[in-house]
Amino acid sequence: MDKRRRGRPSRSGGGRARDEILRVAREVFAEMGYERATFTEIAERAGYTRPAINHHFPDKASLYHASLESVRDTVINGGVEHAVAHETLPGRLSGFLEGAVQVDSQDRSFARFIAASVLDGFRHPQLQEHTRGQVDQVRTFVRQALGAAVDNGEVRADLDVPAVTEMLIAVMWGMGLYAGFMGTHEQLEKVVEQFSRLVAGILW
């Protein structure tokens, strides 16, 4: 006798299934964009039925928002956790990026989705608030790290914190674009290593 719950397709249960669906969804959204991505495409690539996807995510918007949340929980919060272990500004900035690189070594779907989701936010007004939210989280982290460095005398007191924050945001998102669509993981590691040397003042 089939003892599965009614409406719960085979292989649809458990956190592992949800995580796999999210991984494939990040890949499909990054490759095709929000508008062209479909449940059917995601289900076929993940090896699940359409009802199995719907069991976890009722519609495409909820799946996209869950993908954004996975970025926040895994990449951004993970990067911040790496950063807080350091006491200096170079250490915190490098720690944040090293945390992201560690995630990239395990799952490369994050970097590509992060870069593509920024574009989706501009193309689709209904996504804008959510996609900009991940940028704002990183912006808050960078601004606080710079502010702490000013307060403890690590950097010059007249540092233009808002401008430097935006410069670092541009660099970091450029690294995300590089990681997702241009370079290999090994190349990304070297880029982050050299960036760490740059902010520590020992590159030149």
Side-chain angles (χ1 to χ4, degrees):
M1 181 179 295
D2 186 357
K3 296 183 179 180
R4 286 178 292 152
R5 291 190 324 193
R6 177 178 294 180
R8 184 166 183 158
S10 177
R11 295 187 64 220
S12 67
R16 291 181 62 184
R18 188 177 189 277
D19 289 344
E20 178 62 11
I21 293 168
L22 282 173
R23 184 190 66 77
V24 174
R26 289 191 297 267
E27 292 179 348
V28 174
F29 283 131
E31 178 184 329
M32 306 180 70
Y34 178 77
E35 186 173 0
R36 293 178 56 229
T38 65
F39 264 28
T40 300
E41 179 70 22
I42 293 168
E44 289 179 355
R45 292 197 193 187
Y48 288 85
T49 63
R50 170 70 183 265
I53 304 293
N54 285 124
H55 172 76
H56 295 279
F57 307 99
D59 51 41
K60 185 167 71 170
S62 65
L63 177 54
Y64 195 87
H65 293 155
S67 299
L68 288 171
E69 289 173 1
S70 71
V71 169
R72 178 200 64 198
D73 295 340
T74 304
V75 181
I76 298 177
N77 291 347
V80 171
E81 288 178 5
H82 276 78
V84 297
H86 300 272
E87 297 182 355
T88 66
L89 177 62
R92 287 171 179 161
L93 295 175
S94 299
F96 181 88
L97 291 173
E98 288 164 3
V101 169
Q102 182 174 319
V103 172
D104 187 73
S105 70
Q106 301 166 353
D107 187 342
R108 304 216 70 202
S109 69
F110 282 103
R112 182 167 290 187
F113 176 74
I114 289 172
S117 65
V118 175
L119 297 178
D120 273 331
F122 283 99
R123 292 173 180 145
H124 306 285
Q126 73 272 26
L127 301 176
Q128 193 171 86
E129 179 181 353
H130 298 281
T131 56
R132 286 187 176 180
Q134 64 182 4
V135 180
D136 287 338
Q137 285 180 282
V138 179
R139 180 177 285 115
T140 297
F141 158 72
V142 173
R143 186 185 299 120
Q144 290 176 345
L146 290 171
V150 170
D151 292 342
N152 64 26
E154 188 179 355
V155 300
R156 51 194 295 173
D158 62 347
L159 184 75
D160 188 341
V161 171
V164 175
T165 296
E166 293 308 305
M167 181 269 290
L168 290 171
I169 288 292
V171 171
M172 289 177 171
W173 243 255
M175 288 184 179
L177 181 65
Y178 180 87
F181 294 97
M182 299 170 64
T184 65
H185 175 73
E186 290 71 24
Q187 289 173 317
L188 176 64
E189 287 183 320
K190 293 179 180 179
V191 167
V192 170
E193 179 184 353
Q194 296 308 313
F195 175 79
S196 299
R197 291 169 60 83
L198 176 65
V199 296
I202 58 174
L203 178 62
W204 312 122

